[in-house]
Structures are given as structure tokens and as C-alpha cells.
Amino acid sequence: MAVHHLLRRGISGSSPLHPLRGLLLASQELGRRPLSSSAGDVVAELRGAREDVKQLLKTTSCHPILVRLGWHDAGTYDKNIAEWPKCGGANGSLRFEIELKHGANAGLVNALKLIQPTKDKFSGVTYADLFQLASATAIEEAGGPKIPMIYGRVDVTAPEQCPPEGRLPAAGPPSPAEHLREVFYRMGLNDKEIVALSGAHTLGRARPERSGWGKPETKYTKNGPGAPGGQSWTSQWLKFDNSYFKVVKERRDEDLLVLPTDAALFEDSSFKVYAEKYAEDQDAFFKDYAEAHAKLSNLGAKFDPPKGISLE
């Protein structure tokens, strides 16, 4: 998920799925909260899950792959399809093996493995909520803005309800700006939101053996944390700030990655207005990013209760 592939960094998706077969089967249960759960119970479980995710982030530095998990579950949304869940979006479908095997989701089975213990511990939290909670919490814990989240998302119940492959962005399409608009306009997002969301590339790395992009190793990634290697967009790739926009604008460091879809932000006249603004004004970036991330996290979601649940 630009954005497309917060992409295909994170943890490798090249290993076979069968060692995680039990995990995948466990994750394919209904995922809905028990009917006996009260609103208070659900709030308590969501808060407990958030604290678990915070501890997970401290011990594993898995911020990028958790952001990517939430984005890739939500980013399949098609505003032109009214019927749920055919419209795609934030509905927990990414827990199913058929969707995990989509090319754009390489490695995300490992994100599921990381948060499955939290799902088991807080069974009243749906996968759809947990994916979005983990993504927003990762942004906040990396120093980013607080995302105005609501919860209560309903899970799909079967792999047949997964969206078709091909709805997520690519990193190097022939016409990058046109491709970004095609994908994100389909989700109902605008140019400002496209550029703001692209700024999340301040987190994480690309690995050539997984995504086809980036160097095998740079001075910024050779020592990890986590598995060493890959190429990051920024020098401090576990810190959420506006440095991504400065790097893309200046392109002075060969050890930092600039994808065709990144470069397009300063080449397209409409995108450039926002990219220039965010490079100069981190507060403006944080404000617009928080709003865009919250909007993305709600795409295609069905809420129970209908107005959602706030933890604040």
C-alpha cells in the first residue's frame, strides 16, 4: 500500500505455508465476537489487545509489517461494489490462506503468526478489528500521530468471501501517478490522501528477494533490528516522521530507496503540492495522515454496533 507495498518488506513470504497450517486453520474460524459479549467486555478486550500489540512492537520491532497487514486487508475495497463483503475492505479476509497467497501479500502470513496469540487471548476481538488496531498502534508507537480509530468491524466467515487478486497497488507500473489514482480512486481516496498515505514509507524496508525492489543491504539495514538487510526509504526506518518526503525530494543518498511511485509524488503537479507541503511541515503531514489512515481503516467495514466502538 506507495502504500502499495508497505509493502513487501516485513518478514519473508518465501517459506511454504504448511508449517503454519494449524495457525491458518485456527484463524479461519468465524472470528466474530461471542454473542454473549457486552459492549463493555468488547472495549476491555480491545484495550487488552492494544496493550499486547504495544508489547509485541517493543520486543520484535515489527511496526512495518503490522502497518502493512492493516492496509492490505482494507486496501482491497472497491467503492463501485455496494454488496458486503464483495466490495472488499477491512473485513478480516486476509486471514485466509487464499488471500495470503496473493502476490502483494508475500510475507504477511508472518504478521498473522505474530498477532495470532493476541487473537487467541482476546477472542472477542475480530480479526478485522485486530488488523486495524495493530496497524494504527504501530504508527503511534513509532512516533506518529494518534489515529482516530473506531472498532466493531465484523469478520467475513469463509475464504470464498475473499476479494480477487489484483486490487492492491504495484511499486513500478508503467505510469506510476496514473496507477496510484486508478487504485486509490477506486477505494474512494483523493490525491491528498494518496500522498499522505505514501508517507508511511518512512517505516520499513524493501527486500529484492521478496518484492523485486531495493538493495540486498545498506549501511542503514545491515544490523537490523530484526533480520538484517533490505533497503529502507529513510535512515531511521522505525521512526514515523516526515523524512520520507525530504528523501524523495532530495534523492541525495543512494542507500535510500525511491520507487517509481515515490518519485511520482514530486513529478505529478497535483501530488507535488501536498508532497512539498509535507516535506516542509511535519504537523500538517501528521494531521492529514491520521485522517487518511482512519478513513482507510474503515473502508468496506461493516460495524456492530453500526456506529462503531470508541476506546477513548
Side-chain angles (χ1 to χ4, degrees):
M1 269 194 143
V3 181
H4 32 49
H5 84 194
L6 258 164
L7 305 204
R8 305 180 191 185
R9 59 215 193 201
I11 305 173
S12 174
S14 60
S15 58
L17 288 174
H18 60 79
L20 295 173
R21 182 67 61 186
L23 165 74
L24 289 166
L25 291 174
S27 72
Q28 293 179 11
E29 48 81 29
L30 294 185
R32 290 177 172 170
R33 72 178 72 99
L35 293 177
S36 60
S37 294
S38 69
D41 292 337
V42 174
V43 168
E45 291 216 345
L46 284 163
R47 286 179 173 156
R50 185 167 61 183
E51 292 306 310
D52 257 31
V53 169
K54 287 180 181 180
Q55 290 304 310
L56 178 66
L57 291 164
K58 288 177 182 177
T59 57
T60 66
S61 299
C62 62
H63 306 66
I65 201 171
L66 292 189
V67 174
R68 184 179 164 221
L69 179 69
W71 283 27
H72 282 215
D73 196 47
T76 60
Y77 178 64
D78 187 337
K79 67 181 177 61
N80 301 307
I81 300 174
E83 184 181 349
W84 187 91
K86 286 185 178 181
C87 59
N91 58 30
S93 64
L94 191 48
R95 74 189 190 273
F96 290 109
E97 182 175 351
I98 186 172
E99 189 171 344
L100 283 167
K101 284 185 171 181
H102 289 179
N105 293 330
L108 283 180
V109 67
N110 296 288
L112 184 65
K113 184 178 181 181
L114 284 168
I115 65 169
Q116 186 64 41
T118 299
K119 177 69 175 82
D120 295 340
K121 183 176 178 181
F122 300 101
S123 59
V125 177
T126 63
Y127 281 98
D129 269 353
L130 183 58
F131 293 168
Q132 300 310 320
L133 181 151
S135 183
T137 302
I139 294 290
E140 294 167 12
E141 292 297 295
K146 185 168 184 61
I147 314 296
M149 299 291 290
I150 59 171
Y151 297 99
R153 294 170 188 79
V154 175
D155 279 340
V156 296
T157 59
E160 293 75 23
Q161 295 172 307
C162 290
E165 188 165 5
R167 291 188 182 179
L168 296 173
S175 302
E178 182 180 330
H179 175 72
L180 288 175
R181 287 194 174 96
E182 179 183 355
V183 172
F184 286 93
Y185 284 11
R186 188 208 70 223
M187 298 182 205
L189 300 174
N190 60 32
D191 285 1
K192 180 174 77 170
E193 290 160 338
I194 291 170
V195 180
L197 289 171
S198 295
H201 272 164
T202 194
L203 296 179
R205 303 166 281 176
R207 295 179 183 272
E209 72 274 17
R210 300 173 192 171
S211 69
W213 293 93
K215 295 180 179 180
E217 181 181 281
T218 72
K219 62 190 175 190
Y220 303 116
T221 65
K222 63 182 180 180
N223 295 320
Q231 186 175 14
S232 57
W233 284 260
T234 61
S235 58
Q236 293 180 284
W237 48 269
L238 287 176
K239 180 182 179 182
F240 194 96
D241 58 19
N242 70 333
S243 59
Y244 162 81
F245 295 103
K246 297 178 180 180
V247 168
V248 176
K249 181 179 180 179
E250 296 170 359
R251 299 197 218 181
R252 293 178 182 171
D253 191 333
E254 292 185 354
D255 271 348
L256 296 179
L257 182 62
V258 177
L259 297 170
T261 42
D262 300 319
L265 303 183
F266 284 91
E267 294 166 353
D268 179 89
S269 59
S270 176
F271 288 159
K272 185 177 180 180
V273 172
Y274 302 107
E276 292 276 6
K277 178 181 179 181
Y278 298 153
E280 297 299 322
D281 188 341
Q282 181 168 285
D283 290 342
F285 167 52
F286 274 25
K287 176 181 180 295
D288 290 350
Y289 179 85
E291 292 173 359
H293 185 126
K295 182 175 178 178
L296 175 70
S297 77
N298 294 337
L299 295 179
K302 179 194 290 187
F303 287 93
D304 179 19
K307 293 186 178 179
I309 298 167
S310 172
L311 301 187
E312 308 311 322

